[in-house]
């Protein structure tokens, strides 16, 4: 995922992984639900924006998948409920 969003050196990769780990661990400690993937992509995007090396095409695909996921999950859950509900 990282090389598709931005090119980085090992130090930048370490920074992205450490910030992801810190944010996910802190959120877990406080009982907050966060997606590791969302946090990781955010860290990679932050590095890409800072170095001005973001490859926007994959970023837009990721953002689109995040937007589409919630309504698709809702439709599938409604269909499954409709199929298995007691009549």
């Amino acid at each position: 995922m990282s090389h598709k969003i931005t090119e980085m050196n090992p130090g930048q990769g370490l920074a992205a992984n450490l910030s992801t780990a810190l944010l996910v661990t802190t959120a877990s400690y406080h009982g907050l639900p966060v997606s590791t993937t969302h946090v990781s992509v955010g860290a990679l995007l932050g590095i890409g924006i800072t170095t001005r090396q973001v490859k926007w095409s994959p970023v837009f695909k990721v953002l689109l998948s995040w937007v589409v996921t919630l309504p698709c999950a809702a439709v599938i859950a409604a269909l499954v409920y409709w199929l298995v509900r007691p009549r």
Side-chain angles (χ1 to χ4, degrees):
M1 178 170 48
S2 62
H3 293 292
K4 291 184 180 180
I5 293 176
T6 186
E7 295 298 324
M8 67 181 93
N9 63 40
Q12 293 166 329
L14 177 64
N17 286 328
L18 285 176
S19 63
T20 298
L22 180 66
L23 286 169
V24 169
T25 303
T26 302
S28 296
Y29 177 79
H30 292 290
L32 301 170
V34 296
S35 166
T36 306
T37 304
H38 285 74
V39 176
S40 180
V41 168
L44 296 171
L45 183 60
I47 289 173
I49 290 172
T50 302
T51 61
R52 296 187 176 123
Q53 294 181 345
V54 177
K55 299 173 187 169
W56 288 105
S57 178
V59 172
F60 290 132
K61 290 177 185 176
V62 168
L63 293 175
L64 179 63
S65 71
W66 290 348
V67 170
V68 170
T69 300
L70 186 60
C72 286
V75 168
I76 291 170
L79 289 171
V80 169
Y81 174 77
W82 183 76
L83 289 172
V84 300
R85 70 174 183 209
R87 296 175 198 240

